[in-house]
Amino acid sequence: MKATINDVAKQAGVSIKTVSRVINNEISVRQLTREKVQKAVEELNYQPNLAARNLAGAKSFSIAYIYDNPNAYYIIDMQEGILSACKQQGFELLIHPCDAKNKNITEEVVNMVKHARIAGLILTPPLSEMPEFVKSLVALDVKVVRIMSGDVAPDDLSPCVMVNDRDAAQTITQHLIDLGHTDIGFIAGDAKHMSTVERYKGYRRALKESNIDFDKKLVIEGEYSFDSGVSGAKQLMSTESNNTRPTAIFSCNDEIAAGALFAARLMNISIPEQLSIVGFENSPFSRQTWPKLTTADQPNNQIAGDAANLLISQVRKQKNQTTISQYVPKLIIRDSTAKC
Amino acid sequence: MKATINDVAKQAGVSIKTVSRVINNEISVRQLTREKVQKAVEELNYQPNLAARNLAGAKSFSIAYIYDNPNAYYIIDMQEGILSACKQQGFELLIHPCDAKNKNITEEVVNMVKHARIAGLILTPPLSEMPEFVKSLVALDVKVVRIMSGDVAPDDLSPCVMVNDRDAAQTITQHLIDLGHTDIGFIAGDAKHMSTVERYKGYRRALKESNIDFDKKLVIEGEYSFDSGVSGAKQLMSTESNNTRPTAIFSCNDEIAAGALFAARLMNISIPEQLSIVGFENSPFSRQTWPKLTTADQPNNQIAGDAANLLISQVRKQKNQTTISQYVPKLIIRDSTAKC
DNA sequence: TTAAAAATTGACAGCGCTGTCAATTGTTAT
DNA sequence: ATAACAATTGACAGCGCTGTCAATTTTTAA
């Protein structure tokens, strides 16, 4: 039923080793032979047995996606991007959810890698931003690719796919400025996350480039949560507070923005008439809030596919891809922002 | 470094075959021997090599989770539930996203199963509710477990884990009735989904048991989407329409409910004062709407783990578990419902 | 034209495990 | 105590593939 390498060899009239060479894209096979084999492969609809390859060879054809779960939408998008790259390249994907706050996480993952014969790992924030964790993994016999926030890799522990949150945040803030806002609040996400830091930098840069004075009181420390958005917005908009009341709020992600929206509703502040709010991430629910959120979108699927391909080419020891891809999230204007 | 079965055999002073017997939980091993082996396994922290097991034996230690993507939260929860069951049982999980609307889906999945040497499949709605698709899979040499909406399995194609949406919907509707509502609108999800049908049945049953006349005009056909909630609620609440204006709306899921909330906002109807709205699913964002949604929660993680364990025991040919587990989603009262 | 070097191909062992079947040990009934 | 049986154990082949290395063919150089 299912064709083996033997069947292909017979059909092509060569040895199984030659078939093996062809399917592994090795160089020393004559063009003619290669074609014969490829024809046989097609005819028999042959697909190499992953278990056997993994068992026999020194190489492994499995990579793993290790994630902590900040956001189901993000994970699913990433996962599907990685999955389709894997399928295309004949790799197998192991999914490994874990908890970044767990003290033993390094041990846990190191163990998994050792036991599962894994060739490479893909890490997303917050795991990709834990230097000690990453170091421990790089020290093992696996390749690592990280998806991170920033414009350039912070170190050379591993190749990275960078998401330029800074530029995107600047664009968003500029959008607010273009609408006439000058008092723009900022509700931060978890301070430990690079994305928060980067978005903050972009916000600051936009203000600076437009010569708007920076007011520290307009910056609220928070975390990536709805509740943080609620309390942040309350704090910013409270009439008792002695700071300037902002006319716009930059929320570090959509969840915070949704919280801010919620708070505004509580305080009878109408959006966007009295207050503009922007989010970040373009989560599905950002289209389902009232009003719909202006936000920034990043092609997670594609980013993940990129990372997976980068990783696989590392594993294959093909040219040591030094090119680091960078993505800049794109502004999406919806209904939560308006002229001042 | 990594211990093999050979190391264990030496350490325990038995043959590798005996070790194999112990790790596979076969019967004919003397208790004393079994203990010796188990001790060695522990000492060496031995974990069997999955690739080798899959290659050597007739059995396979891989199962697959096939899903169409209705909802990232749902998928992630399910996936993690399955994953942890797999880890516990020493199985490997293949993830296979696909598109239920794709004509070739059966061929695609059948192909995957054939090529990947998979022992079993877990199916969630809508895939689990496509009889022809399921039949094609059952016809292959794999076990199948479905997660479905209903109280009993609709057929005996495969064991099922049932989610009793009907009873849950009745409870939710009853909650509305208890609050004094009698004109209760219903915005349906995709009519093809069993969950829609079941929730509708529960709604009808609650009305009937409280002797409330059923008004067909209060039922809006829709789909599981935000937009459907918007238009459904508009239709129900429009003053021009010649039907009774409901004082409460049962939305078939949270997304629809969010849409209904949105529409109410558009129409200046205050929730829950002028209109109560309930959702279903307890999506994370149901806590982040204004006001927070009353909804129904189901333990997806646990349901998935159940399904995975059921599948694995099928695969292992352990007692042909005829017990079908049933879960009833639980009412969660929040702020979108109030007295009439 | 022929020897030497290079390119191409294949034979064979073995990855870590399980299935088969035969050898050994223990148990029961006589 | 011993034959007859059952329970337990192990030897060995082989799953489908890759690594090693040697055999063969082709190319190059003299």
PDB file of all heavy atoms in Angstrom, chain B residues 125-126 128-131 146-154 162-166 189-202 224 252:
ATOM      1  N   PRO B 125     -16.197  19.740  16.388  1.00  0.00           N
ATOM      2  CA  PRO B 125     -17.086  20.390  15.440  1.00  0.00           C
ATOM      3  C   PRO B 125     -16.348  21.490  14.696  1.00  0.00           C
ATOM      4  O   PRO B 125     -15.470  22.116  15.293  1.00  0.00           O
ATOM      5  CB  PRO B 125     -18.185  20.999  16.323  1.00  0.00           C
ATOM      6  CG  PRO B 125     -18.112  20.273  17.620  1.00  0.00           C
ATOM      7  CD  PRO B 125     -16.686  19.853  17.771  1.00  0.00           C
ATOM      8  N   PRO B 126     -16.631  21.756  13.446  1.00  0.00           N
ATOM      9  CA  PRO B 126     -17.691  21.135  12.656  1.00  0.00           C
ATOM     10  C   PRO B 126     -17.306  19.806  12.020  1.00  0.00           C
ATOM     11  O   PRO B 126     -18.172  19.099  11.526  1.00  0.00           O
ATOM     12  CB  PRO B 126     -17.936  22.175  11.555  1.00  0.00           C
ATOM     13  CG  PRO B 126     -16.629  22.860  11.382  1.00  0.00           C
ATOM     14  CD  PRO B 126     -15.975  22.866  12.738  1.00  0.00           C
ATOM     15  N   SER B 128     -16.480  16.980  13.258  1.00  0.00           N
ATOM     16  CA  SER B 128     -17.052  15.798  13.893  1.00  0.00           C
ATOM     17  C   SER B 128     -18.511  15.592  13.493  1.00  0.00           C
ATOM     18  O   SER B 128     -19.079  14.542  13.721  1.00  0.00           O
ATOM     19  CB  SER B 128     -16.946  15.915  15.417  1.00  0.00           C
ATOM     20  OG  SER B 128     -17.592  17.091  15.855  1.00  0.00           O
ATOM     21  N   GLU B 129     -19.072  16.614  12.871  1.00  0.00           N
ATOM     22  CA  GLU B 129     -20.495  16.541  12.517  1.00  0.00           C
ATOM     23  C   GLU B 129     -20.714  16.335  11.023  1.00  0.00           C
ATOM     24  O   GLU B 129     -21.810  16.565  10.516  1.00  0.00           O
ATOM     25  CB  GLU B 129     -21.192  17.827  12.975  1.00  0.00           C
ATOM     26  CG  GLU B 129     -21.211  17.960  14.478  1.00  0.00           C
ATOM     27  CD  GLU B 129     -21.677  19.330  14.935  1.00  0.00           C
ATOM     28  OE1 GLU B 129     -21.891  20.202  14.071  1.00  0.00           O
ATOM     29  OE2 GLU B 129     -21.809  19.529  16.155  1.00  0.00           O
ATOM     30  N   MET B 130     -19.671  15.918  10.336  1.00  0.00           N
ATOM     31  CA  MET B 130     -19.821  15.661   8.909  1.00  0.00           C
ATOM     32  C   MET B 130     -19.787  14.157   8.670  1.00  0.00           C
ATOM     33  O   MET B 130     -18.726  13.560   8.515  1.00  0.00           O
ATOM     34  CB  MET B 130     -18.687  16.361   8.158  1.00  0.00           C
ATOM     35  CG  MET B 130     -18.727  17.872   8.319  1.00  0.00           C
ATOM     36  SD  MET B 130     -17.203  18.708   7.837  1.00  0.00           S
ATOM     37  CE  MET B 130     -16.949  18.074   6.200  1.00  0.00           C
ATOM     38  N   PRO B 131     -20.961  13.530   8.626  1.00  0.00           N
ATOM     39  CA  PRO B 131     -21.055  12.061   8.636  1.00  0.00           C
ATOM     40  C   PRO B 131     -20.216  11.388   7.547  1.00  0.00           C
ATOM     41  O   PRO B 131     -19.527  10.401   7.819  1.00  0.00           O
ATOM     42  CB  PRO B 131     -22.543  11.800   8.412  1.00  0.00           C
ATOM     43  CG  PRO B 131     -23.225  13.043   8.845  1.00  0.00           C
ATOM     44  CD  PRO B 131     -22.279  14.159   8.536  1.00  0.00           C
ATOM     45  N   ARG B 146     -14.918  11.445  18.600  1.00  0.00           N
ATOM     46  CA  ARG B 146     -15.482  12.749  18.265  1.00  0.00           C
ATOM     47  C   ARG B 146     -15.954  13.496  19.501  1.00  0.00           C
ATOM     48  O   ARG B 146     -16.450  12.897  20.446  1.00  0.00           O
ATOM     49  CB  ARG B 146     -16.692  12.568  17.334  1.00  0.00           C
ATOM     50  CG  ARG B 146     -16.340  12.192  15.928  1.00  0.00           C
ATOM     51  CD  ARG B 146     -17.591  11.835  15.148  1.00  0.00           C
ATOM     52  NE  ARG B 146     -18.205  10.604  15.661  1.00  0.00           N
ATOM     53  CZ  ARG B 146     -19.406  10.185  15.314  1.00  0.00           C
ATOM     54  NH1 ARG B 146     -20.162  10.905  14.494  1.00  0.00           N
ATOM     55  NH2 ARG B 146     -19.883   9.053  15.790  1.00  0.00           N
ATOM     56  N   ILE B 147     -15.795  14.771  19.443  1.00  0.00           N
ATOM     57  CA  ILE B 147     -16.382  15.631  20.456  1.00  0.00           C
ATOM     58  C   ILE B 147     -17.566  16.296  19.785  1.00  0.00           C
ATOM     59  O   ILE B 147     -17.422  16.901  18.720  1.00  0.00           O
ATOM     60  CB  ILE B 147     -15.359  16.670  20.950  1.00  0.00           C
ATOM     61  CG1 ILE B 147     -14.228  15.944  21.677  1.00  0.00           C
ATOM     62  CG2 ILE B 147     -16.037  17.690  21.854  1.00  0.00           C
ATOM     63  CD1 ILE B 147     -13.031  16.800  21.995  1.00  0.00           C
ATOM     64  N   MET B 148     -18.739  16.130  20.379  1.00  0.00           N
ATOM     65  CA  MET B 148     -19.930  16.587  19.691  1.00  0.00           C
ATOM     66  C   MET B 148     -20.927  17.236  20.636  1.00  0.00           C
ATOM     67  O   MET B 148     -20.865  17.067  21.839  1.00  0.00           O
ATOM     68  CB  MET B 148     -20.642  15.403  19.029  1.00  0.00           C
ATOM     69  CG  MET B 148     -19.790  14.572  18.142  1.00  0.00           C
ATOM     70  SD  MET B 148     -20.779  13.374  17.249  1.00  0.00           S
ATOM     71  CE  MET B 148     -21.674  14.427  16.122  1.00  0.00           C
ATOM     72  N   SER B 149     -21.861  17.901  20.026  1.00  0.00           N
ATOM     73  CA  SER B 149     -22.926  18.509  20.796  1.00  0.00           C
ATOM     74  C   SER B 149     -24.108  17.555  20.872  1.00  0.00           C
ATOM     75  O   SER B 149     -24.507  16.984  19.863  1.00  0.00           O
ATOM     76  CB  SER B 149     -23.343  19.808  20.105  1.00  0.00           C
ATOM     77  OG  SER B 149     -24.409  20.392  20.781  1.00  0.00           O
ATOM     78  N   GLY B 150     -24.644  17.368  22.063  1.00  0.00           N
ATOM     79  CA  GLY B 150     -25.790  16.478  22.207  1.00  0.00           C
ATOM     80  C   GLY B 150     -25.716  15.724  23.515  1.00  0.00           C
ATOM     81  O   GLY B 150     -24.786  15.891  24.288  1.00  0.00           O
ATOM     82  N   ASP B 151     -26.706  14.878  23.768  1.00  0.00           N
ATOM     83  CA  ASP B 151     -26.644  14.110  25.008  1.00  0.00           C
ATOM     84  C   ASP B 151     -26.245  12.672  24.750  1.00  0.00           C
ATOM     85  O   ASP B 151     -25.626  12.033  25.575  1.00  0.00           O
ATOM     86  CB  ASP B 151     -27.961  14.205  25.782  1.00  0.00           C
ATOM     87  CG  ASP B 151     -29.155  13.890  24.896  1.00  0.00           C
ATOM     88  OD1 ASP B 151     -28.955  13.740  23.664  1.00  0.00           O
ATOM     89  OD2 ASP B 151     -30.272  13.799  25.414  1.00  0.00           O
ATOM     90  N   VAL B 152     -26.611  12.162  23.578  1.00  0.00           N
ATOM     91  CA  VAL B 152     -26.163  10.825  23.219  1.00  0.00           C
ATOM     92  C   VAL B 152     -25.570  10.858  21.823  1.00  0.00           C
ATOM     93  O   VAL B 152     -25.894  11.734  21.017  1.00  0.00           O
ATOM     94  CB  VAL B 152     -27.320   9.807  23.235  1.00  0.00           C
ATOM     95  CG1 VAL B 152     -27.843   9.625  24.652  1.00  0.00           C
ATOM     96  CG2 VAL B 152     -28.442  10.258  22.307  1.00  0.00           C
ATOM     97  N   ALA B 153     -24.715   9.903  21.540  1.00  0.00           N
ATOM     98  CA  ALA B 153     -24.085   9.853  20.225  1.00  0.00           C
ATOM     99  C   ALA B 153     -25.147   9.640  19.152  1.00  0.00           C
ATOM    100  O   ALA B 153     -26.081   8.888  19.358  1.00  0.00           O
ATOM    101  CB  ALA B 153     -23.058   8.741  20.189  1.00  0.00           C
ATOM    102  N   PRO B 154     -25.028  10.327  18.039  1.00  0.00           N
ATOM    103  CA  PRO B 154     -26.034  10.262  16.979  1.00  0.00           C
ATOM    104  C   PRO B 154     -25.927   8.973  16.181  1.00  0.00           C
ATOM    105  O   PRO B 154     -26.826   8.624  15.427  1.00  0.00           O
ATOM    106  CB  PRO B 154     -25.664  11.453  16.090  1.00  0.00           C
ATOM    107  CG  PRO B 154     -24.205  11.660  16.306  1.00  0.00           C
ATOM    108  CD  PRO B 154     -23.915  11.234  17.716  1.00  0.00           C
ATOM    109  N   MET B 162     -19.637  13.840  24.600  1.00  0.00           N
ATOM    110  CA  MET B 162     -20.775  14.708  24.297  1.00  0.00           C
ATOM    111  C   MET B 162     -20.798  15.963  25.181  1.00  0.00           C
ATOM    112  O   MET B 162     -20.511  15.893  26.369  1.00  0.00           O
ATOM    113  CB  MET B 162     -22.088  13.949  24.501  1.00  0.00           C
ATOM    114  CG  MET B 162     -22.208  12.628  23.755  1.00  0.00           C
ATOM    115  SD  MET B 162     -21.975  12.751  21.956  1.00  0.00           S
ATOM    116  CE  MET B 162     -23.339  13.825  21.512  1.00  0.00           C
ATOM    117  N   VAL B 163     -21.157  17.045  24.553  1.00  0.00           N
ATOM    118  CA  VAL B 163     -21.346  18.284  25.303  1.00  0.00           C
ATOM    119  C   VAL B 163     -22.826  18.620  25.232  1.00  0.00           C
ATOM    120  O   VAL B 163     -23.357  18.879  24.153  1.00  0.00           O
ATOM    121  CB  VAL B 163     -20.513  19.429  24.704  1.00  0.00           C
ATOM    122  CG1 VAL B 163     -20.776  20.716  25.449  1.00  0.00           C
ATOM    123  CG2 VAL B 163     -19.039  19.072  24.750  1.00  0.00           C
ATOM    124  N   ASN B 164     -23.464  18.574  26.362  1.00  0.00           N
ATOM    125  CA  ASN B 164     -24.905  18.720  26.369  1.00  0.00           C
ATOM    126  C   ASN B 164     -25.334  20.185  26.323  1.00  0.00           C
ATOM    127  O   ASN B 164     -25.695  20.793  27.321  1.00  0.00           O
ATOM    128  CB  ASN B 164     -25.491  18.036  27.598  1.00  0.00           C
ATOM    129  CG  ASN B 164     -26.991  17.886  27.482  1.00  0.00           C
ATOM    130  OD1 ASN B 164     -27.648  18.670  26.785  1.00  0.00           O
ATOM    131  ND2 ASN B 164     -27.540  16.890  28.135  1.00  0.00           N
ATOM    132  N   ASP B 165     -25.312  20.713  25.115  1.00  0.00           N
ATOM    133  CA  ASP B 165     -25.684  22.111  24.924  1.00  0.00           C
ATOM    134  C   ASP B 165     -27.159  22.338  25.210  1.00  0.00           C
ATOM    135  O   ASP B 165     -27.560  23.424  25.606  1.00  0.00           O
ATOM    136  CB  ASP B 165     -25.403  22.531  23.482  1.00  0.00           C
ATOM    137  CG  ASP B 165     -23.930  22.751  23.242  1.00  0.00           C
ATOM    138  OD1 ASP B 165     -23.322  23.465  24.044  1.00  0.00           O
ATOM    139  OD2 ASP B 165     -23.393  22.231  22.249  1.00  0.00           O
ATOM    140  N   ARG B 166     -27.933  21.299  25.008  1.00  0.00           N
ATOM    141  CA  ARG B 166     -29.375  21.460  25.175  1.00  0.00           C
ATOM    142  C   ARG B 166     -29.738  21.811  26.622  1.00  0.00           C
ATOM    143  O   ARG B 166     -30.387  22.809  26.894  1.00  0.00           O
ATOM    144  CB  ARG B 166     -30.089  20.179  24.758  1.00  0.00           C
ATOM    145  CG  ARG B 166     -31.586  20.368  24.606  1.00  0.00           C
ATOM    146  CD  ARG B 166     -32.302  19.056  24.385  1.00  0.00           C
ATOM    147  NE  ARG B 166     -31.650  18.281  23.313  1.00  0.00           N
ATOM    148  CZ  ARG B 166     -32.081  17.093  22.925  1.00  0.00           C
ATOM    149  NH1 ARG B 166     -33.133  16.533  23.514  1.00  0.00           N
ATOM    150  NH2 ARG B 166     -31.452  16.436  21.972  1.00  0.00           N
ATOM    151  N   GLY B 189     -26.834  30.305  15.668  1.00  0.00           N
ATOM    152  CA  GLY B 189     -25.544  30.176  14.988  1.00  0.00           C
ATOM    153  C   GLY B 189     -25.775  29.457  13.675  1.00  0.00           C
ATOM    154  O   GLY B 189     -26.918  29.312  13.230  1.00  0.00           O
ATOM    155  N   ASP B 190     -24.725  28.973  13.057  1.00  0.00           N
ATOM    156  CA  ASP B 190     -24.859  28.244  11.792  1.00  0.00           C
ATOM    157  C   ASP B 190     -25.825  27.084  11.982  1.00  0.00           C
ATOM    158  O   ASP B 190     -25.635  26.248  12.854  1.00  0.00           O
ATOM    159  CB  ASP B 190     -23.521  27.682  11.329  1.00  0.00           C
ATOM    160  CG  ASP B 190     -22.468  28.762  11.176  1.00  0.00           C
ATOM    161  OD1 ASP B 190     -22.203  29.479  12.153  1.00  0.00           O
ATOM    162  OD2 ASP B 190     -21.910  28.890  10.083  1.00  0.00           O
ATOM    163  N   ALA B 191     -26.827  27.026  11.131  1.00  0.00           N
ATOM    164  CA  ALA B 191     -27.869  26.013  11.279  1.00  0.00           C
ATOM    165  C   ALA B 191     -27.304  24.612  11.115  1.00  0.00           C
ATOM    166  O   ALA B 191     -27.856  23.633  11.614  1.00  0.00           O
ATOM    167  CB  ALA B 191     -28.967  26.251  10.261  1.00  0.00           C
ATOM    168  N   LYS B 192     -26.182  24.509  10.420  1.00  0.00           N
ATOM    169  CA  LYS B 192     -25.588  23.197  10.191  1.00  0.00           C
ATOM    170  C   LYS B 192     -24.932  22.626  11.443  1.00  0.00           C
ATOM    171  O   LYS B 192     -24.736  21.436  11.558  1.00  0.00           O
ATOM    172  CB  LYS B 192     -24.533  23.294   9.074  1.00  0.00           C
ATOM    173  CG  LYS B 192     -25.118  23.187   7.682  1.00  0.00           C
ATOM    174  CD  LYS B 192     -24.043  23.472   6.643  1.00  0.00           C
ATOM    175  CE  LYS B 192     -23.679  24.937   6.646  1.00  0.00           C
ATOM    176  NZ  LYS B 192     -22.740  25.358   5.594  1.00  0.00           N
ATOM    177  N   HIS B 193     -24.560  23.510  12.355  1.00  0.00           N
ATOM    178  CA  HIS B 193     -23.884  23.034  13.548  1.00  0.00           C
ATOM    179  C   HIS B 193     -24.876  22.442  14.543  1.00  0.00           C
ATOM    180  O   HIS B 193     -25.885  23.052  14.869  1.00  0.00           O
ATOM    181  CB  HIS B 193     -23.138  24.178  14.238  1.00  0.00           C
ATOM    182  CG  HIS B 193     -21.905  24.606  13.500  1.00  0.00           C
ATOM    183  ND1 HIS B 193     -21.851  24.693  12.133  1.00  0.00           N
ATOM    184  CD2 HIS B 193     -20.680  24.977  13.955  1.00  0.00           C
ATOM    185  CE1 HIS B 193     -20.647  25.098  11.769  1.00  0.00           C
ATOM    186  NE2 HIS B 193     -19.923  25.283  12.849  1.00  0.00           N
ATOM    187  N   MET B 194     -24.554  21.269  15.022  1.00  0.00           N
ATOM    188  CA  MET B 194     -25.396  20.634  16.028  1.00  0.00           C
ATOM    189  C   MET B 194     -25.575  21.535  17.245  1.00  0.00           C
ATOM    190  O   MET B 194     -26.643  21.552  17.849  1.00  0.00           O
ATOM    191  CB  MET B 194     -24.761  19.312  16.482  1.00  0.00           C
ATOM    192  CG  MET B 194     -24.915  18.176  15.518  1.00  0.00           C
ATOM    193  SD  MET B 194     -26.636  17.927  15.068  1.00  0.00           S
ATOM    194  CE  MET B 194     -27.305  17.392  16.661  1.00  0.00           C
ATOM    195  N   SER B 195     -24.531  22.253  17.584  1.00  0.00           N
ATOM    196  CA  SER B 195     -24.628  23.087  18.779  1.00  0.00           C
ATOM    197  C   SER B 195     -25.769  24.084  18.637  1.00  0.00           C
ATOM    198  O   SER B 195     -26.492  24.349  19.594  1.00  0.00           O
ATOM    199  CB  SER B 195     -23.309  23.808  19.038  1.00  0.00           C
ATOM    200  OG  SER B 195     -22.945  24.568  17.910  1.00  0.00           O
ATOM    201  N   THR B 196     -25.952  24.604  17.445  1.00  0.00           N
ATOM    202  CA  THR B 196     -27.050  25.536  17.223  1.00  0.00           C
ATOM    203  C   THR B 196     -28.386  24.844  17.449  1.00  0.00           C
ATOM    204  O   THR B 196     -29.257  25.332  18.173  1.00  0.00           O
ATOM    205  CB  THR B 196     -27.017  26.087  15.779  1.00  0.00           C
ATOM    206  OG1 THR B 196     -25.820  26.835  15.617  1.00  0.00           O
ATOM    207  CG2 THR B 196     -28.211  26.965  15.510  1.00  0.00           C
ATOM    208  N   VAL B 197     -28.498  23.690  16.838  1.00  0.00           N
ATOM    209  CA  VAL B 197     -29.737  22.930  16.937  1.00  0.00           C
ATOM    210  C   VAL B 197     -30.038  22.589  18.396  1.00  0.00           C
ATOM    211  O   VAL B 197     -31.157  22.762  18.886  1.00  0.00           O
ATOM    212  CB  VAL B 197     -29.630  21.633  16.108  1.00  0.00           C
ATOM    213  CG1 VAL B 197     -30.879  20.787  16.273  1.00  0.00           C
ATOM    214  CG2 VAL B 197     -29.365  21.954  14.643  1.00  0.00           C
ATOM    215  N   GLU B 198     -29.017  22.117  19.088  1.00  0.00           N
ATOM    216  CA  GLU B 198     -29.188  21.720  20.484  1.00  0.00           C
ATOM    217  C   GLU B 198     -29.549  22.906  21.371  1.00  0.00           C
ATOM    218  O   GLU B 198     -30.389  22.807  22.253  1.00  0.00           O
ATOM    219  CB  GLU B 198     -27.892  21.080  20.989  1.00  0.00           C
ATOM    220  CG  GLU B 198     -27.598  19.717  20.374  1.00  0.00           C
ATOM    221  CD  GLU B 198     -28.595  18.671  20.839  1.00  0.00           C
ATOM    222  OE1 GLU B 198     -28.850  18.607  22.046  1.00  0.00           O
ATOM    223  OE2 GLU B 198     -29.123  17.931  19.983  1.00  0.00           O
ATOM    224  N   ARG B 199     -28.864  24.002  21.131  1.00  0.00           N
ATOM    225  CA  ARG B 199     -29.151  25.168  21.964  1.00  0.00           C
ATOM    226  C   ARG B 199     -30.574  25.670  21.701  1.00  0.00           C
ATOM    227  O   ARG B 199     -31.272  26.100  22.611  1.00  0.00           O
ATOM    228  CB  ARG B 199     -28.096  26.274  21.698  1.00  0.00           C
ATOM    229  CG  ARG B 199     -26.739  25.888  22.269  1.00  0.00           C
ATOM    230  CD  ARG B 199     -25.561  26.734  21.825  1.00  0.00           C
ATOM    231  NE  ARG B 199     -24.321  25.986  22.118  1.00  0.00           N
ATOM    232  CZ  ARG B 199     -23.089  26.403  21.832  1.00  0.00           C
ATOM    233  NH1 ARG B 199     -22.878  27.573  21.229  1.00  0.00           N
ATOM    234  NH2 ARG B 199     -22.045  25.655  22.136  1.00  0.00           N
ATOM    235  N   TYR B 200     -30.957  25.554  20.489  1.00  0.00           N
ATOM    236  CA  TYR B 200     -32.321  25.941  20.135  1.00  0.00           C
ATOM    237  C   TYR B 200     -33.336  25.049  20.855  1.00  0.00           C
ATOM    238  O   TYR B 200     -34.323  25.515  21.421  1.00  0.00           O
ATOM    239  CB  TYR B 200     -32.505  25.849  18.620  1.00  0.00           C
ATOM    240  CG  TYR B 200     -33.885  26.207  18.143  1.00  0.00           C
ATOM    241  CD1 TYR B 200     -34.373  27.505  18.279  1.00  0.00           C
ATOM    242  CD2 TYR B 200     -34.706  25.245  17.559  1.00  0.00           C
ATOM    243  CE1 TYR B 200     -35.651  27.839  17.852  1.00  0.00           C
ATOM    244  CE2 TYR B 200     -35.984  25.573  17.126  1.00  0.00           C
ATOM    245  CZ  TYR B 200     -36.453  26.868  17.273  1.00  0.00           C
ATOM    246  OH  TYR B 200     -37.710  27.195  16.851  1.00  0.00           O
ATOM    247  N   LYS B 201     -33.047  23.765  20.855  1.00  0.00           N
ATOM    248  CA  LYS B 201     -33.950  22.838  21.523  1.00  0.00           C
ATOM    249  C   LYS B 201     -34.079  23.162  23.009  1.00  0.00           C
ATOM    250  O   LYS B 201     -35.161  23.095  23.595  1.00  0.00           O
ATOM    251  CB  LYS B 201     -33.459  21.397  21.361  1.00  0.00           C
ATOM    252  CG  LYS B 201     -33.734  20.808  19.989  1.00  0.00           C
ATOM    253  CD  LYS B 201     -33.302  19.351  19.961  1.00  0.00           C
ATOM    254  CE  LYS B 201     -33.404  18.765  18.552  1.00  0.00           C
ATOM    255  NZ  LYS B 201     -32.582  17.541  18.411  1.00  0.00           N
ATOM    256  N   GLY B 202     -32.928  23.488  23.614  1.00  0.00           N
ATOM    257  CA  GLY B 202     -32.935  23.818  25.036  1.00  0.00           C
ATOM    258  C   GLY B 202     -33.759  25.067  25.300  1.00  0.00           C
ATOM    259  O   GLY B 202     -34.534  25.146  26.270  1.00  0.00           O
ATOM    260  N   TYR B 224     -22.334  31.827  13.393  1.00  0.00           N
ATOM    261  CA  TYR B 224     -21.502  32.154  14.548  1.00  0.00           C
ATOM    262  C   TYR B 224     -20.551  33.302  14.238  1.00  0.00           C
ATOM    263  O   TYR B 224     -19.359  33.098  14.056  1.00  0.00           O
ATOM    264  CB  TYR B 224     -20.700  30.930  14.991  1.00  0.00           C
ATOM    265  CG  TYR B 224     -21.526  29.906  15.732  1.00  0.00           C
ATOM    266  CD1 TYR B 224     -21.573  28.592  15.307  1.00  0.00           C
ATOM    267  CD2 TYR B 224     -22.233  30.265  16.873  1.00  0.00           C
ATOM    268  CE1 TYR B 224     -22.318  27.643  16.008  1.00  0.00           C
ATOM    269  CE2 TYR B 224     -22.987  29.326  17.568  1.00  0.00           C
ATOM    270  CZ  TYR B 224     -23.030  28.023  17.127  1.00  0.00           C
ATOM    271  OH  TYR B 224     -23.772  27.097  17.817  1.00  0.00           O
ATOM    272  N   CYS B 252     -26.472  32.535  20.419  1.00  0.00           N
ATOM    273  CA  CYS B 252     -25.943  31.179  20.387  1.00  0.00           C
ATOM    274  C   CYS B 252     -24.472  31.070  20.772  1.00  0.00           C
ATOM    275  O   CYS B 252     -24.001  29.990  21.104  1.00  0.00           O
ATOM    276  CB  CYS B 252     -26.197  30.530  19.038  1.00  0.00           C
ATOM    277  SG  CYS B 252     -27.627  29.453  19.112  1.00  0.00           S
TER     278      CYS B 252
END
